Amino acid sequence: MSYTDNYDRDTYGIIDFWVRNNFEHGEFFDREISHHELELARANQKMVDRMGTIFKKTESKKGDIGLILEEAKSSTNEFHDLLVHTMDKALHCEVIISTPTSLLDHMIREAEEAQTVFKLIETGAYVTPADATIHENNFWLRQMLDHLIFISHYVDASNYELHDQVRAMTRKFENLYLQAVSLKTMIRRPRNEISPILNTFNQMVIKEAKALEAFKLELNTLINACAAVTTAPPNLLEHIAREAHHLWRNLEDKIVT
């Protein structure tokens, strides 16, 4: 799948983004399930097949949007439950997988965020620009920080310069995430407008998220050319680059999608 960063922010496009995320998580997870775990592999593949069918519908923008939303909610709930069950078994050393437990948690949090977004679509609830950007920063900056940790996990130890670059970016996003957590409690409700302090922070995050997106795509080019030693799954860097893009676009638009 080629990288896409210009998906529409209509209802079809929003559902497509989240279902595609879960679909790709399922694909990544599939390659890390031991051949001893046939029941888990089959359950995960069922989820992948189901979500693949749904996002093909959202791509074509055909079909009743209400029914598609229900399918997206149902499949997300099932995938979420499968991951939570698997994470619990991993924490008790009862499953054979090579997926880090923190990565399972990462995927679970994104499934939960998808559930939140689907509820916003369903109810038509309004989120103020200040609440929207505070929410997006708190959710996505933790995910961006995770991405850098996972890149370090997949990149071979022999790539010293690349690891040094990842460490520097990790420190930067650690600071951004901690600042986002602080602003969430410092800027109290009702948040009727974006204050100068919040605006300055948003612009900082937008700048760094754009740079992170570019870095991920550059690394993706190296991986595709077999020019970087790594065990990263196919399309992983495109996947996390699209999420970085999603963050800075939502901050620019001051919305939750």
Side-chain angles (χ1 to χ4, degrees), residues 148-253:
L148 289 161
I149 294 170
F150 299 145
I151 287 172
S152 182
H153 166 77
Y154 286 117
V155 171
D156 192 80
S158 63
N159 292 297
Y160 292 98
E161 187 63 30
L162 183 54
H163 274 291
D164 193 51
Q165 188 176 359
V166 171
R167 280 193 294 268
M169 297 185 79
T170 300
R171 179 63 186 274
K172 183 171 293 185
F173 275 86
E174 283 175 345
N175 290 337
L176 289 173
Y177 175 61
L178 289 172
Q179 188 168 348
V181 171
S182 295
L183 290 177
K184 185 176 182 178
T185 55
M186 288 169 60
I187 304 175
R188 297 278 174 163
R189 288 191 174 97
R191 303 182 183 114
N192 296 320
E193 60 184 22
I194 293 181
S195 65
I197 289 172
L198 180 56
N199 179 63
T200 297
F201 181 64
N202 289 342
Q203 297 310 311
M204 188 187 312
V205 174
I206 289 169
K207 176 184 175 183
E208 297 303 334
K210 287 181 177 181
L212 182 59
E213 179 188 16
F215 168 75
K216 291 169 177 176
L217 291 176
E218 289 168 6
L219 181 55
N220 182 68
T221 299
L222 292 175
I223 291 172
N224 287 342
C226 201
V229 185
T230 177
T231 57
N235 296 332
L236 173 65
L237 273 297
E238 287 186 5
H239 173 92
I240 59 179
R242 190 168 61 247
E243 292 182 352
H245 185 93
H246 189 80
L247 166 59
W248 68 255
R249 276 192 64 181
N250 276 8
L251 290 180
E252 285 193 338
D253 296 340

Side-chain angles (χ1 to χ4, degrees), residues 24-25 35 51 92 99-101 112 146 212:
E24 291 178 355
H25 286 166
H35 67 276
M51 290 181 289
H92 290 86
T99 306
T101 306
E112 290 170 344
D146 282 353
L212 182 59

Side-chain angles (χ1 to χ4, degrees), residues 37-213:
E37 303 288 351
L38 292 179
E39 184 178 348
L40 175 59
R42 291 191 186 105
N44 183 67
Q45 187 59 53
K46 180 182 177 183
M47 292 295 96
V48 170
D49 292 342
R50 184 179 180 190
M51 290 181 289
T53 299
I54 297 169
F55 86 67
K56 285 179 182 176
K57 292 180 183 179
T58 59
E59 273 190 319
S60 66
K61 297 193 175 184
K62 294 178 181 178
D64 183 273
I65 193 65
L67 292 177
I68 292 174
L69 178 59
E70 284 302 314
E71 290 181 20
K73 286 168 54 183
S74 176
S75 66
T76 299
N77 292 344
E78 288 187 26
F79 187 52
H80 171 271
D81 291 347
L82 176 67
L83 292 174
V84 169
H85 176 69
T86 304
M87 185 170 68
D88 181 65
K89 292 185 72 173
L91 288 170
H92 290 86
C93 302
E94 295 173 353
V95 66
I96 306 171
I97 55 175
S98 57
T99 306
T101 306
S102 59
L103 180 50
L104 289 172
D105 181 54
H106 177 94
M107 294 190 291
I108 289 166
R109 280 184 266 120
E110 288 195 15
E112 290 170 344
E113 183 67 7
Q115 291 170 328
T116 298
V117 172
F118 293 156
K119 187 174 181 179
L120 288 175
I121 294 172
E122 194 173 40
T123 61
Y126 173 71
V127 182
T128 68
D131 273 327
T133 58
I134 286 174
H135 173 85
E136 292 300 280
N137 280 324
N138 273 267
F139 176 76
W140 281 112
L141 283 172
R142 184 177 179 187
Q143 302 303 95
M144 296 300 111
L145 182 56
D146 282 353
H147 291 166
L148 289 161
I149 294 170
F150 299 145
I151 287 172
S152 182
H153 166 77
Y154 286 117
V155 171
D156 192 80
S158 63
N159 292 297
Y160 292 98
E161 187 63 30
L162 183 54
H163 274 291
D164 193 51
Q165 188 176 359
V166 171
R167 280 193 294 268
M169 297 185 79
T170 300
R171 179 63 186 274
K172 183 171 293 185
F173 275 86
E174 283 175 345
N175 290 337
L176 289 173
Y177 175 61
L178 289 172
Q179 188 168 348
V181 171
S182 295
L183 290 177
K184 185 176 182 178
T185 55
M186 288 169 60
I187 304 175
R188 297 278 174 163
R189 288 191 174 97
R191 303 182 183 114
N192 296 320
E193 60 184 22
I194 293 181
S195 65
I197 289 172
L198 180 56
N199 179 63
T200 297
F201 181 64
N202 289 342
Q203 297 310 311
M204 188 187 312
V205 174
I206 289 169
K207 176 184 175 183
E208 297 303 334
K210 287 181 177 181
L212 182 59
E213 179 188 16

